[in-house]
Amino acid sequence: MNVNKLILFSLLVASTTVVMAQDPWVYAKEATDVWPGADAKAALVLDDGILTVGEMGLLDIMEGEVLMVKTDMSGAVLWEQSHDKPGALEVVNRITAVPSDGGFLVATMLIDGYRPWFFKTDAEGNMLWESAAWSDLLGENTASQTLAYQLPTGDIACVVANDVFRQINIYTVDNSTGDLISTTTHTFEDIIGMSLFSASTSDIVNTADGGFLFASRFGVTDSFANMLIEIDETLALASTSNIGLATDNFFSAQIALRADGSLIITGAKNVGFFGDVFQASIAIFGTDYNFINYASPIGDLFNSTLGEIAQTPSGNYKLIRYNYDGVSFDPATGDYLEIVSMNAAFVETDSAIINYAPYNLLTFITAVSDEQYITGGMAWVIGEPNYYLVVASGAGGALPACIFNCVWPGDADNSGVADMDDILAIGLGYGNTGDVRDDMSIDWYAHFTNEWATALPSGVNNKYTDCNGDGIINEADTTAVSNNFSLEHAVYSLKTAAGEVPLIFAPIAPLVIGENAVPILLGNETDFVDALYGLRFTAFAEGESIDATTVKVKFNDSFIGDALDLLSLSKTINDIPAAAGAVAKTDHVNATGYGEIGTLNFVVIDNIAGKVEGSPVSLRFENIRAIDVNENEISIAPSDLSLESPTEIVNSNSTSIHLYPNPVTTNEIFIVSENAIESIELFNMYGESVYSRGNISTTKITLPDLANGQYMINVQTAIGSEAIMISVLGH
């Protein structure tokens, strides 16, 4: 959208600047198919607006760029800037302001190689210098966390935590040119006075007097040490303090300096007897940076941990909390991610669940005032480009009710503007009915509305055409067009499908002598069903060891509906090892989703005195039809599968590999491949192999204890290899 038009639009919908600043707003920038990754990482509240920084890119090809976005307090975009280090994927760590000249310092870590990269911009985001002349000379695996800030001398300190070599390096550079002046190094072993076998730095922040603090978890003999370390303005070691008691198994996330000079550190504390229960915790420190005690905003589920925290001017807090049950971890669940409000005594007073997209992660939060805060991160559908996401609360901390696929009353064709074309759209949809909107106001803001079963010929869902939200498209909807005529909004549409919907067999274990039940999956994270009302198919299980009379299809509870509420039928076909199956809804409402819908059941017989090893079993689908509630055909893409009875999967016509859960919160993961898995190898973010295994005959893999963070798992199959990024959280 044109920036001037957006500013004009903001002036039209709010009478004063003060009111505008209290309206919730969102900035969402979609990544590209070439560089599908996007993440907003940090924010600065300035006198004249909000500056956020993050990155877009693609890990597979190690390419990307840093994105800087400045908005005014009402969300109108003032400028955007992109900065690229050619041949690298820049992972943004932090941004700080330069007090002497109004510029900004951005600290990143480069992948691959894990070297630091810093740059300075002017007040408009134009790059003034970057660090490649000296930082490119550093060896691989020299950066784990980075920070750049201005020293009292006027020079710039580029701080790099090097967890691989267990040291902190401070590169002092000239503020005007970025040229290297000197290097200061502190080894972690010298700092804490103990021999170490590992280190993991979670956060680094600069202090008002020109020094900085960092929090690290150190592996020492038979134990761990969690430390807060202070470096003063001369870049010398000033103090150390345990985070909690020396024996506390605390995993720090973020250091937050408070208005009185004291600080807090967010994270999670292991409180389980078997080391399997993590509770969100805040470590509280005094102005001398010595630990005082813990506060524990635990959360509603079995496990929880904290992200960033922000103190409001009145001394209260806003923080990010992640919840999970200790068995499965899924950022698609509605109660997974929360913004929590706490008073000055760390007592929870309110919480708001964040569930704007199928998947949501928030990286930062900062307070603008007691009323308003800014948070951001990313939102996405698996298989589609991510959104770089910034969300601002409004009066009383109210968040936007809707961000993606929202209805703006009067924009009947969801084009981004209320105009005469919307009258034509109302005419095309006239008489169609659907869900009544919870909020039936026709004021110009984003409204959440359920999808309707009908759409305009262009494919735009009729929920947009029902401008007043009363559940029917008629002449009453023209009032919203008239009232909001010429107003504009940004169209943020999350894609819901990218191609034909797959229908596959997904065995979770080798075949066995006797009864077998092979799961049948419809759709996946990328290509799922937008609108399904019924499905029928014939499933074959062919092989010399199959008892043809036992083949049947069983439908179970699924995204289609509860099995008891569905119409379903399975018929074994005489003389051939196949069964016909059909399932249909009865409530005249389409189902949306993906996953297991049932099983193909059959018996493997022990023929020829049990000598069945190497006997092939072929699973396939035929005679497939799927429809929506209006009897429109849905395109289904079936996959055949060849198994070996009774040992393992040996062949497939698909190269797809599925790994779950991801992120990982226990030691167990499942890898499903339609080709035999020969071996796996796990690498940490420094490129070091931390686990490998061959001769795999099961989908369940038990991993060793891993530190929280990002890992790359390489899966070798009979036809090639595939690398998958996983996140470990909650260990």
mmCIF file of all heavy atoms in Angstrom, residues 555-598:
data_model
loop_
_atom_site.group_PDB
_atom_site.id
_atom_site.type_symbol
_atom_site.label_atom_id
_atom_site.label_comp_id
_atom_site.label_asym_id
_atom_site.label_seq_id
_atom_site.Cartn_x
_atom_site.Cartn_y
_atom_site.Cartn_z
ATOM 1 N N PHE A 555 -13.002 -46.175 9.759
ATOM 2 C CA PHE A 555 -12.918 -44.725 9.949
ATOM 3 C C PHE A 555 -12.996 -44.421 11.449
ATOM 4 O O PHE A 555 -13.783 -45.026 12.187
ATOM 5 C CB PHE A 555 -14.047 -44.014 9.206
ATOM 6 C CG PHE A 555 -13.939 -44.116 7.717
ATOM 7 C CD1 PHE A 555 -14.693 -45.047 7.015
ATOM 8 C CD2 PHE A 555 -13.067 -43.300 7.009
ATOM 9 C CE1 PHE A 555 -14.586 -45.156 5.641
ATOM 10 C CE2 PHE A 555 -12.949 -43.400 5.631
ATOM 11 C CZ PHE A 555 -13.710 -44.332 4.939
ATOM 12 N N ASN A 556 -12.162 -43.453 11.883
ATOM 13 C CA ASN A 556 -12.132 -43.106 13.293
ATOM 14 C C ASN A 556 -12.382 -41.612 13.491
ATOM 15 O O ASN A 556 -12.656 -40.884 12.524
ATOM 16 C CB ASN A 556 -10.802 -43.529 13.929
ATOM 17 C CG ASN A 556 -9.605 -42.996 13.153
ATOM 18 O OD1 ASN A 556 -9.690 -41.953 12.500
ATOM 19 N ND2 ASN A 556 -8.488 -43.695 13.218
ATOM 20 N N ASP A 557 -12.316 -41.155 14.743
ATOM 21 C CA ASP A 557 -12.447 -39.725 15.014
ATOM 22 C C ASP A 557 -11.329 -38.980 14.293
ATOM 23 O O ASP A 557 -10.163 -39.395 14.332
ATOM 24 C CB ASP A 557 -12.349 -39.448 16.514
ATOM 25 C CG ASP A 557 -13.511 -40.026 17.296
ATOM 26 O OD1 ASP A 557 -14.518 -40.386 16.670
ATOM 27 O OD2 ASP A 557 -13.393 -40.118 18.536
ATOM 28 N N SER A 558 -11.660 -37.872 13.638
ATOM 29 C CA SER A 558 -10.662 -37.139 12.853
ATOM 30 C C SER A 558 -11.128 -35.707 12.681
ATOM 31 O O SER A 558 -12.152 -35.293 13.240
ATOM 32 C CB SER A 558 -10.473 -37.795 11.486
ATOM 33 O OG SER A 558 -11.636 -37.631 10.683
ATOM 34 N N PHE A 559 -10.377 -34.955 11.860
ATOM 35 C CA PHE A 559 -10.788 -33.575 11.588
ATOM 36 C C PHE A 559 -12.119 -33.521 10.849
ATOM 37 O O PHE A 559 -12.801 -32.486 10.844
ATOM 38 C CB PHE A 559 -9.701 -32.841 10.790
ATOM 39 C CG PHE A 559 -9.598 -33.254 9.344
ATOM 40 C CD1 PHE A 559 -10.354 -32.609 8.369
ATOM 41 C CD2 PHE A 559 -8.758 -34.281 8.969
ATOM 42 C CE1 PHE A 559 -10.259 -32.992 7.041
ATOM 43 C CE2 PHE A 559 -8.644 -34.661 7.641
ATOM 44 C CZ PHE A 559 -9.397 -34.026 6.675
ATOM 45 N N ILE A 560 -12.527 -34.637 10.212
ATOM 46 C CA ILE A 560 -13.826 -34.660 9.525
ATOM 47 C C ILE A 560 -14.954 -34.597 10.540
ATOM 48 O O ILE A 560 -15.986 -33.959 10.314
ATOM 49 C CB ILE A 560 -13.954 -35.911 8.639
ATOM 50 C CG1 ILE A 560 -12.810 -35.962 7.621
ATOM 51 C CG2 ILE A 560 -15.299 -35.936 7.911
ATOM 52 C CD1 ILE A 560 -12.785 -37.248 6.800
ATOM 53 N N GLY A 561 -14.772 -35.266 11.673
ATOM 54 C CA GLY A 561 -15.787 -35.263 12.727
ATOM 55 C C GLY A 561 -15.639 -36.474 13.615
ATOM 56 O O GLY A 561 -14.802 -37.370 13.368
ATOM 57 N N ASP A 562 -16.438 -36.535 14.679
ATOM 58 C CA ASP A 562 -16.454 -37.707 15.544
ATOM 59 C C ASP A 562 -17.067 -38.882 14.792
ATOM 60 O O ASP A 562 -18.091 -38.728 14.109
ATOM 61 C CB ASP A 562 -17.264 -37.435 16.810
ATOM 62 C CG ASP A 562 -16.605 -36.399 17.703
ATOM 63 O OD1 ASP A 562 -15.381 -36.184 17.551
ATOM 64 O OD2 ASP A 562 -17.314 -35.795 18.531
ATOM 65 N N ALA A 563 -16.458 -40.053 14.927
ATOM 66 C CA ALA A 563 -16.907 -41.217 14.165
ATOM 67 C C ALA A 563 -18.385 -41.519 14.401
ATOM 68 O O ALA A 563 -19.101 -41.920 13.468
ATOM 69 C CB ALA A 563 -16.047 -42.428 14.531
ATOM 70 N N LEU A 564 -18.874 -41.319 15.622
ATOM 71 C CA LEU A 564 -20.276 -41.614 15.927
ATOM 72 C C LEU A 564 -21.237 -40.660 15.224
ATOM 73 O O LEU A 564 -22.425 -40.978 15.065
ATOM 74 C CB LEU A 564 -20.501 -41.567 17.436
ATOM 75 C CG LEU A 564 -19.786 -42.662 18.255
ATOM 76 C CD1 LEU A 564 -20.034 -42.445 19.739
ATOM 77 C CD2 LEU A 564 -20.248 -44.044 17.817
ATOM 78 N N ASP A 565 -20.746 -39.486 14.809
ATOM 79 C CA ASP A 565 -21.604 -38.504 14.149
ATOM 80 C C ASP A 565 -21.531 -38.586 12.621
ATOM 81 O O ASP A 565 -22.229 -37.843 11.932
ATOM 82 C CB ASP A 565 -21.211 -37.087 14.583
ATOM 83 C CG ASP A 565 -21.394 -36.872 16.074
ATOM 84 O OD1 ASP A 565 -22.305 -37.496 16.638
ATOM 85 O OD2 ASP A 565 -20.623 -36.087 16.655
ATOM 86 N N LEU A 566 -20.680 -39.466 12.108
ATOM 87 C CA LEU A 566 -20.475 -39.562 10.663
ATOM 88 C C LEU A 566 -21.211 -40.762 10.081
ATOM 89 O O LEU A 566 -21.453 -41.763 10.766
ATOM 90 C CB LEU A 566 -18.983 -39.701 10.349
ATOM 91 C CG LEU A 566 -18.075 -38.569 10.809
ATOM 92 C CD1 LEU A 566 -16.612 -38.958 10.593
ATOM 93 C CD2 LEU A 566 -18.400 -37.274 10.064
ATOM 94 N N LEU A 567 -21.564 -40.678 8.800
ATOM 95 C CA LEU A 567 -22.023 -41.837 8.047
ATOM 96 C C LEU A 567 -20.797 -42.522 7.469
ATOM 97 O O LEU A 567 -19.982 -41.879 6.809
ATOM 98 C CB LEU A 567 -22.952 -41.418 6.911
ATOM 99 C CG LEU A 567 -24.273 -40.752 7.286
ATOM 100 C CD1 LEU A 567 -24.997 -40.295 6.029
ATOM 101 C CD2 LEU A 567 -25.145 -41.702 8.085
ATOM 102 N N SER A 568 -20.634 -43.807 7.706
ATOM 103 C CA SER A 568 -19.478 -44.505 7.152
ATOM 104 C C SER A 568 -19.853 -45.940 6.832
ATOM 105 O O SER A 568 -20.759 -46.528 7.444
ATOM 106 C CB SER A 568 -18.298 -44.482 8.122
ATOM 107 O OG SER A 568 -18.592 -45.191 9.306
ATOM 108 N N LEU A 569 -19.164 -46.504 5.859
ATOM 109 C CA LEU A 569 -19.425 -47.869 5.424
ATOM 110 C C LEU A 569 -18.138 -48.459 4.879
ATOM 111 O O LEU A 569 -17.377 -47.784 4.181
ATOM 112 C CB LEU A 569 -20.501 -47.894 4.332
ATOM 113 C CG LEU A 569 -20.924 -49.276 3.816
ATOM 114 C CD1 LEU A 569 -21.606 -50.081 4.915
ATOM 115 C CD2 LEU A 569 -21.837 -49.129 2.605
ATOM 116 N N SER A 570 -17.875 -49.733 5.184
ATOM 117 C CA SER A 570 -16.742 -50.469 4.621
ATOM 118 C C SER A 570 -17.242 -51.815 4.134
ATOM 119 O O SER A 570 -17.968 -52.515 4.861
ATOM 120 C CB SER A 570 -15.649 -50.675 5.671
ATOM 121 O OG SER A 570 -14.614 -51.497 5.170
ATOM 122 N N LYS A 571 -16.875 -52.172 2.898
ATOM 123 C CA LYS A 571 -17.293 -53.446 2.320
ATOM 124 C C LYS A 571 -16.076 -54.154 1.748
ATOM 125 O O LYS A 571 -15.373 -53.620 0.888
ATOM 126 C CB LYS A 571 -18.320 -53.227 1.212
ATOM 127 C CG LYS A 571 -19.615 -52.590 1.686
ATOM 128 C CD LYS A 571 -20.477 -53.563 2.502
ATOM 129 C CE LYS A 571 -21.058 -54.645 1.641
ATOM 130 N NZ LYS A 571 -21.971 -55.541 2.432
ATOM 131 N N THR A 572 -15.819 -55.369 2.253
ATOM 132 C CA THR A 572 -14.758 -56.188 1.689
ATOM 133 C C THR A 572 -15.212 -56.716 0.341
ATOM 134 O O THR A 572 -16.340 -57.211 0.201
ATOM 135 C CB THR A 572 -14.425 -57.356 2.630
ATOM 136 O OG1 THR A 572 -14.035 -56.823 3.899
ATOM 137 C CG2 THR A 572 -13.300 -58.203 2.070
ATOM 138 N N ILE A 573 -14.349 -56.615 -0.658
ATOM 139 C CA ILE A 573 -14.698 -57.022 -2.015
ATOM 140 C C ILE A 573 -14.357 -58.496 -2.199
ATOM 141 O O ILE A 573 -13.238 -58.931 -1.897
ATOM 142 C CB ILE A 573 -13.957 -56.155 -3.052
ATOM 143 C CG1 ILE A 573 -14.327 -54.684 -2.835
ATOM 144 C CG2 ILE A 573 -14.279 -56.599 -4.470
ATOM 145 C CD1 ILE A 573 -13.588 -53.736 -3.731
ATOM 146 N N ASN A 574 -15.329 -59.245 -2.671
ATOM 147 C CA ASN A 574 -15.155 -60.689 -2.805
ATOM 148 C C ASN A 574 -13.989 -61.047 -3.716
ATOM 149 O O ASN A 574 -13.779 -60.420 -4.761
ATOM 150 C CB ASN A 574 -16.437 -61.339 -3.357
ATOM 151 C CG ASN A 574 -17.586 -61.267 -2.367
ATOM 152 O OD1 ASN A 574 -17.357 -61.175 -1.153
ATOM 153 N ND2 ASN A 574 -18.806 -61.322 -2.867
ATOM 154 N N ASP A 575 -13.207 -62.028 -3.282
ATOM 155 C CA ASP A 575 -12.176 -62.681 -4.096
ATOM 156 C C ASP A 575 -10.924 -61.843 -4.323
ATOM 157 O O ASP A 575 -9.959 -62.342 -4.901
ATOM 158 C CB ASP A 575 -12.725 -63.114 -5.466
ATOM 159 C CG ASP A 575 -13.913 -64.054 -5.330
ATOM 160 O OD1 ASP A 575 -13.898 -64.872 -4.394
ATOM 161 O OD2 ASP A 575 -14.840 -63.964 -6.160
ATOM 162 N N ILE A 576 -10.911 -60.594 -3.943
ATOM 163 C CA ILE A 576 -9.687 -59.801 -4.097
ATOM 164 C C ILE A 576 -9.380 -59.121 -2.763
ATOM 165 O O ILE A 576 -10.294 -58.808 -1.986
ATOM 166 C CB ILE A 576 -9.806 -58.737 -5.218
ATOM 167 C CG1 ILE A 576 -10.936 -57.740 -4.919
ATOM 168 C CG2 ILE A 576 -10.000 -59.386 -6.574
ATOM 169 C CD1 ILE A 576 -10.970 -56.589 -5.915
ATOM 170 N N PRO A 577 -8.080 -58.890 -2.475
ATOM 171 C CA PRO A 577 -7.719 -58.273 -1.182
ATOM 172 C C PRO A 577 -7.937 -56.765 -1.216
ATOM 173 O O PRO A 577 -6.993 -55.979 -1.312
ATOM 174 C CB PRO A 577 -6.238 -58.640 -1.035
ATOM 175 C CG PRO A 577 -5.741 -58.718 -2.437
ATOM 176 C CD PRO A 577 -6.884 -59.250 -3.256
ATOM 177 N N ALA A 578 -9.176 -56.328 -1.139
ATOM 178 C CA ALA A 578 -9.512 -54.907 -1.217
ATOM 179 C C ALA A 578 -10.791 -54.648 -0.456
ATOM 180 O O ALA A 578 -11.603 -55.556 -0.218
ATOM 181 C CB ALA A 578 -9.649 -54.453 -2.662
ATOM 182 N N ALA A 579 -10.966 -53.392 -0.068
ATOM 183 C CA ALA A 579 -12.190 -52.973 0.606
ATOM 184 C C ALA A 579 -12.581 -51.598 0.104
ATOM 185 O O ALA A 579 -11.728 -50.735 -0.127
ATOM 186 C CB ALA A 579 -12.007 -52.942 2.118
ATOM 187 N N ALA A 580 -13.888 -51.406 -0.094
ATOM 188 C CA ALA A 580 -14.419 -50.095 -0.448
ATOM 189 C C ALA A 580 -14.872 -49.399 0.821
ATOM 190 O O ALA A 580 -15.479 -50.025 1.697
ATOM 191 C CB ALA A 580 -15.579 -50.237 -1.426
ATOM 192 N N GLY A 581 -14.537 -48.099 0.921
ATOM 193 C CA GLY A 581 -14.921 -47.342 2.103
ATOM 194 C C GLY A 581 -15.469 -45.982 1.738
ATOM 195 O O GLY A 581 -15.082 -45.402 0.712
ATOM 196 N N ALA A 582 -16.376 -45.487 2.556
ATOM 197 C CA ALA A 582 -16.930 -44.150 2.345
ATOM 198 C C ALA A 582 -17.253 -43.539 3.692
ATOM 199 O O ALA A 582 -17.645 -44.238 4.636
ATOM 200 C CB ALA A 582 -18.180 -44.204 1.471
ATOM 201 N N VAL A 583 -17.083 -42.213 3.783
ATOM 202 C CA VAL A 583 -17.411 -41.479 4.994
ATOM 203 C C VAL A 583 -18.026 -40.149 4.582
ATOM 204 O O VAL A 583 -17.595 -39.542 3.596
ATOM 205 C CB VAL A 583 -16.166 -41.265 5.880
ATOM 206 C CG1 VAL A 583 -15.102 -40.447 5.164
ATOM 207 C CG2 VAL A 583 -16.530 -40.630 7.207
ATOM 208 N N ALA A 584 -19.059 -39.706 5.304
ATOM 209 C CA ALA A 584 -19.727 -38.444 4.970
ATOM 210 C C ALA A 584 -20.227 -37.779 6.238
ATOM 211 O O ALA A 584 -20.612 -38.447 7.210
ATOM 212 C CB ALA A 584 -20.884 -38.673 4.007
ATOM 213 N N LYS A 585 -20.219 -36.445 6.217
ATOM 214 C CA LYS A 585 -20.790 -35.671 7.307
ATOM 215 C C LYS A 585 -22.311 -35.588 7.150
ATOM 216 O O LYS A 585 -22.847 -35.910 6.087
ATOM 217 C CB LYS A 585 -20.193 -34.254 7.327
ATOM 218 C CG LYS A 585 -18.713 -34.234 7.706
ATOM 219 C CD LYS A 585 -18.059 -32.878 7.457
ATOM 220 C CE LYS A 585 -18.664 -31.755 8.295
ATOM 221 N NZ LYS A 585 -18.428 -31.947 9.746
ATOM 222 N N THR A 586 -22.981 -35.138 8.194
ATOM 223 C CA THR A 586 -24.442 -35.041 8.152
ATOM 224 C C THR A 586 -24.960 -33.665 8.557
ATOM 225 O O THR A 586 -26.168 -33.441 8.555
ATOM 226 C CB THR A 586 -25.067 -36.084 9.101
ATOM 227 O OG1 THR A 586 -24.638 -35.810 10.447
ATOM 228 C CG2 THR A 586 -24.663 -37.492 8.708
ATOM 229 N N ASP A 587 -24.048 -32.744 8.909
ATOM 230 C CA ASP A 587 -24.485 -31.469 9.477
ATOM 231 C C ASP A 587 -24.488 -30.322 8.477
ATOM 232 O O ASP A 587 -24.707 -29.169 8.851
ATOM 233 C CB ASP A 587 -23.595 -31.098 10.670
ATOM 234 C CG ASP A 587 -22.114 -31.012 10.298
ATOM 235 O OD1 ASP A 587 -21.786 -31.204 9.105
ATOM 236 O OD2 ASP A 587 -21.300 -30.765 11.208
ATOM 237 N N HIS A 588 -24.214 -30.617 7.198
ATOM 238 C CA HIS A 588 -24.207 -29.608 6.128
ATOM 239 C C HIS A 588 -23.151 -28.527 6.346
ATOM 240 O O HIS A 588 -23.287 -27.414 5.849
ATOM 241 C CB HIS A 588 -25.592 -28.960 5.978
ATOM 242 C CG HIS A 588 -26.685 -29.952 5.735
ATOM 243 N ND1 HIS A 588 -26.843 -30.606 4.541
ATOM 244 C CD2 HIS A 588 -27.646 -30.427 6.573
ATOM 245 C CE1 HIS A 588 -27.874 -31.439 4.631
ATOM 246 N NE2 HIS A 588 -28.379 -31.358 5.857
ATOM 247 N N VAL A 589 -22.097 -28.878 7.049
ATOM 248 C CA VAL A 589 -20.990 -27.949 7.276
ATOM 249 C C VAL A 589 -19.697 -28.639 6.847
ATOM 250 O O VAL A 589 -19.425 -29.773 7.262
ATOM 251 C CB VAL A 589 -20.880 -27.530 8.764
ATOM 252 C CG1 VAL A 589 -19.674 -26.620 8.975
ATOM 253 C CG2 VAL A 589 -22.161 -26.832 9.206
ATOM 254 N N ASN A 590 -18.910 -27.966 6.025
ATOM 255 C CA ASN A 590 -17.650 -28.546 5.556
ATOM 256 C C ASN A 590 -16.654 -28.707 6.696
ATOM 257 O O ASN A 590 -16.669 -27.938 7.672
ATOM 258 C CB ASN A 590 -17.019 -27.662 4.477
ATOM 259 C CG ASN A 590 -17.710 -27.826 3.131
ATOM 260 O OD1 ASN A 590 -18.056 -28.929 2.741
ATOM 261 N ND2 ASN A 590 -17.902 -26.719 2.432
ATOM 262 N N ALA A 591 -15.784 -29.679 6.554
ATOM 263 C CA ALA A 591 -14.659 -29.863 7.473
ATOM 264 C C ALA A 591 -13.397 -29.291 6.842
ATOM 265 O O ALA A 591 -13.228 -29.335 5.620
ATOM 266 C CB ALA A 591 -14.466 -31.336 7.786
ATOM 267 N N THR A 592 -12.519 -28.761 7.676
ATOM 268 C CA THR A 592 -11.232 -28.226 7.235
ATOM 269 C C THR A 592 -10.129 -28.834 8.082
ATOM 270 O O THR A 592 -10.264 -28.918 9.297
ATOM 271 C CB THR A 592 -11.197 -26.693 7.384
ATOM 272 O OG1 THR A 592 -12.226 -26.112 6.582
ATOM 273 C CG2 THR A 592 -9.845 -26.136 6.942
ATOM 274 N N GLY A 593 -9.040 -29.264 7.430
ATOM 275 C CA GLY A 593 -7.922 -29.789 8.197
ATOM 276 C C GLY A 593 -7.161 -30.862 7.457
ATOM 277 O O GLY A 593 -7.244 -30.996 6.235
ATOM 278 N N TYR A 594 -6.431 -31.666 8.217
ATOM 279 C CA TYR A 594 -5.657 -32.761 7.662
ATOM 280 C C TYR A 594 -5.334 -33.741 8.783
ATOM 281 O O TYR A 594 -5.487 -33.432 9.965
ATOM 282 C CB TYR A 594 -4.356 -32.268 7.013
ATOM 283 C CG TYR A 594 -3.358 -31.667 7.963
ATOM 284 C CD1 TYR A 594 -2.360 -32.451 8.546
ATOM 285 C CD2 TYR A 594 -3.409 -30.323 8.307
ATOM 286 C CE1 TYR A 594 -1.444 -31.912 9.429
ATOM 287 C CE2 TYR A 594 -2.496 -29.768 9.193
ATOM 288 C CZ TYR A 594 -1.517 -30.569 9.748
ATOM 289 O OH TYR A 594 -0.614 -30.024 10.631
ATOM 290 N N GLY A 595 -4.861 -34.929 8.389
ATOM 291 C CA GLY A 595 -4.436 -35.896 9.388
ATOM 292 C C GLY A 595 -5.004 -37.270 9.138
ATOM 293 O O GLY A 595 -5.594 -37.562 8.086
ATOM 294 N N GLU A 596 -4.854 -38.141 10.135
ATOM 295 C CA GLU A 596 -5.340 -39.514 10.021
ATOM 296 C C GLU A 596 -6.869 -39.528 10.046
ATOM 297 O O GLU A 596 -7.494 -38.927 10.931
ATOM 298 C CB GLU A 596 -4.780 -40.372 11.156
ATOM 299 C CG GLU A 596 -5.195 -41.833 11.082
ATOM 300 C CD GLU A 596 -4.581 -42.673 12.187
ATOM 301 O OE1 GLU A 596 -3.464 -42.337 12.634
ATOM 302 O OE2 GLU A 596 -5.227 -43.663 12.602
ATOM 303 N N ILE A 597 -7.465 -40.249 9.084
ATOM 304 C CA ILE A 597 -8.927 -40.353 9.035
ATOM 305 C C ILE A 597 -9.407 -41.765 9.334
ATOM 306 O O ILE A 597 -10.596 -41.981 9.575
ATOM 307 C CB ILE A 597 -9.486 -39.901 7.671
ATOM 308 C CG1 ILE A 597 -8.913 -40.761 6.542
ATOM 309 C CG2 ILE A 597 -9.200 -38.429 7.434
ATOM 310 C CD1 ILE A 597 -9.578 -40.512 5.192
ATOM 311 N N GLY A 598 -8.501 -42.724 9.297
ATOM 312 C CA GLY A 598 -8.885 -44.104 9.550
ATOM 313 C C GLY A 598 -7.719 -45.038 9.338
ATOM 314 O O GLY A 598 -6.557 -44.610 9.270
#
